[in-house]
Amino acid sequence: GRNVSIENCIGRGPHRRGGTGVQDQMEILAGADVVMTDCQLTDSDPATTVFHVRKGARLTVSTTSVSKDPAASMSSVEAGGTLVVE
């Protein structure tokens, strides 16, 4: 949705449950405008992408801590998507 605010959240170890999708901590879909503040995201799986922003979506992240596997991707931003880390 538009003008979505996520505050003080905790995300731990997402798990892909079959299908053809990917394993993301946060996936922001087309048309969404999200602000994430004061969150904690942790995962040890190298297959996880922390922030996945689709075409036509916007994610702004501030004062959020991320702990991930060194081989994991911090972000995947499709053409036309926007990721702002403050």
Side-chain angles (χ1 to χ4, degrees), residues 66-83:
V66 175
S67 176
K68 67 176 190 64
D69 184 279
S73 296
M74 181 61 80
S75 64
S76 173
V77 181
E78 295 179 2
T82 305
L83 173 61

Side-chain angles (χ1 to χ4, degrees), residues 1 4 6 9 11 16-22 26-27 29-30 32 42 46 51 57 62 77-78 83 85-86:
V4 175
I6 301 171
C9 67
R16 184 171 157 232
R17 304 242 193 294
T20 58
V22 295
M26 295 294 299
E27 181 178 18
L29 301 178
T42 61
F51 302 114
S62 65
V77 181
E78 295 179 2
L83 173 61
V85 178
E86 301 175 332

Side-chain angles (χ1 to χ4, degrees), residues 4-41:
V4 175
S5 179
I6 301 171
E7 299 175 359
N8 301 309
C9 67
I10 296 174
R12 295 190 182 115
H15 298 285
R16 184 171 157 232
R17 304 242 193 294
T20 58
V22 295
Q23 180 170 289
D24 303 319
Q25 281 276 4
M26 295 294 299
E27 181 178 18
I28 310 303
L29 301 178
D33 183 0
V34 178
V35 175
M36 173 186 255
T37 307
D38 296 323
C39 293
Q40 299 173 10
L41 304 176

Side-chain angles (χ1 to χ4, degrees), residues 38-60:
D38 296 323
C39 293
Q40 299 173 10
L41 304 176
T42 61
D43 187 44
S44 60
D45 189 335
T48 298
T49 298
V50 179
F51 302 114
H52 184 181
V53 183
R54 299 284 187 163
K55 177 181 179 181
R58 179 182 179 87
L59 172 62
T60 302

